[in-house]
Amino acid sequence: MTSILIFSGSARQGAFSKQLAAAATTLINGEGGKPTLIDLADFEVPLYNADLEAESGIPQPAVDFWRLVASHDGMAIATPEYNGFVTPLLLKMLCWASRPSPGDDFGTVFQGRPVALMASSPGRLGGVRVIPRLRDIVAELGMIAIPGFVTVPDAASAFTEQGRLVEHRKEEEVVCLVRRLMTASRRG
Ligand SMILES: Cc1cc2nc3c(=O)[nH]c(=O)nc-3n(C[C@H](O)[C@H](O)[C@H](O)COP(=O)(O)O)c2cc1C
């Protein structure tokens, strides 16, 4: 069964992007995948600082995150954009998890790993500006960004109380993306 690690780029309780990640988790299940939904807020790390790394190494939550990445076949990220850019929460975790560490495979965990990109916003553009920026970052880390993406505009009214996407068409877009992700992530 294809395992997918999925998370949002927001720490906010009730974040729209967390709702999108949760909706995608349900859809991955429906497609026969094995999703693991995590909350990056549970993996508290400081901003990357080389002095900190020299003093105390990679923070344990980054190691825990790294291990989760390593134990899944693929990844899916649902994120808001902050000023059109990637959120600090996401960026700092990717920074830490990309660091090499003696005796470990740190720095290579992302290599060749398929990742699907999604964004959401209460605004009308759905956070679309973050997609090419995030695509550049994940490519730099060696990941394979799945062609296409999903954005959810007007996110405040985009989800049902049961956590599904209100618009069937939008749900279909997520299903198409996760199918491509699962095909790319399948091993052997
Ligand atoms: C610092 C900051 C910058 C933001 N920049 C954007 C932006 O560029 N585009 C946008 O659509 N929304 C922007 N927003 C609004 C967010 O989309 C909104 O707060 C959203 O709810 C955050 O995502 P979340 O619900 O997943 O936490 C910004 C919010 C903050 C706090």
Side-chain angles (χ1 to χ4, degrees):
M1 206 181 266
T2 308
S3 58
I4 304 293
L5 183 66
I6 179 162
F7 51 89
S8 146
S10 173
R12 190 173 76 84
Q13 280 181 30
F16 301 125
S17 51
K18 285 185 182 175
Q19 295 181 51
L20 177 54
T25 299
T26 306
L27 295 171
I28 292 169
N29 256 321
E31 292 300 308
K34 193 174 161 224
T36 306
L37 177 64
I38 60 167
D39 186 342
L40 283 189
D42 295 332
F43 297 76
E44 188 62 46
V45 288
L47 270 183
Y48 178 77
N49 177 332
D51 291 338
L52 268 183
E53 184 183 351
E55 277 161 28
S56 15
I58 313 284
Q60 189 58 42
V63 176
D64 295 342
F65 173 77
W66 182 93
R67 292 213 166 103
L68 276 168
V69 174
S71 63
H72 286 75
D73 301 320
M75 279 166 58
I77 304 174
T79 187
E81 62 181 15
Y82 281 178
N83 302 309
F85 198 68
V86 179
T87 62
L89 178 78
L90 194 49
L91 207 47
K92 70 178 181 173
M93 182 54 92
L94 294 178
C95 275
W96 278 113
S98 69
R99 294 298 300 146
S101 168
D104 210 335
D105 286 334
F106 250 88
T108 58
V109 71
F110 297 119
Q111 206 61 45
R113 204 164 293 277
V115 57
L117 307 182
M118 297 176 281
S120 59
S121 166
R124 281 191 299 166
L125 296 182
V128 70
R129 289 179 302 163
V130 77
I131 297 288
R133 273 108 194 236
L134 185 54
R135 197 180 291 282
D136 276 352
I137 291 169
V138 297
E140 197 59 43
L141 291 171
M143 288 188 247
I144 297 166
I146 299 304
F149 59 88
V150 171
T151 55
V152 176
D154 302 315
S157 54
F159 301 94
T160 68
E161 279 181 13
Q162 289 72 38
R164 294 186 62 149
L165 282 151
V166 170
E167 275 189 31
H168 181 60
R169 211 181 42 179
K170 193 53 76 180
E171 206 168 69
E172 279 178 344
E173 281 181 33
V174 178
V175 168
C176 277
L177 187 69
V178 302
R179 277 189 189 148
R180 288 203 293 273
L181 171 65
M182 286 168 58
T183 302
S185 305
R186 214 158 275 145
R187 290 187 177 177

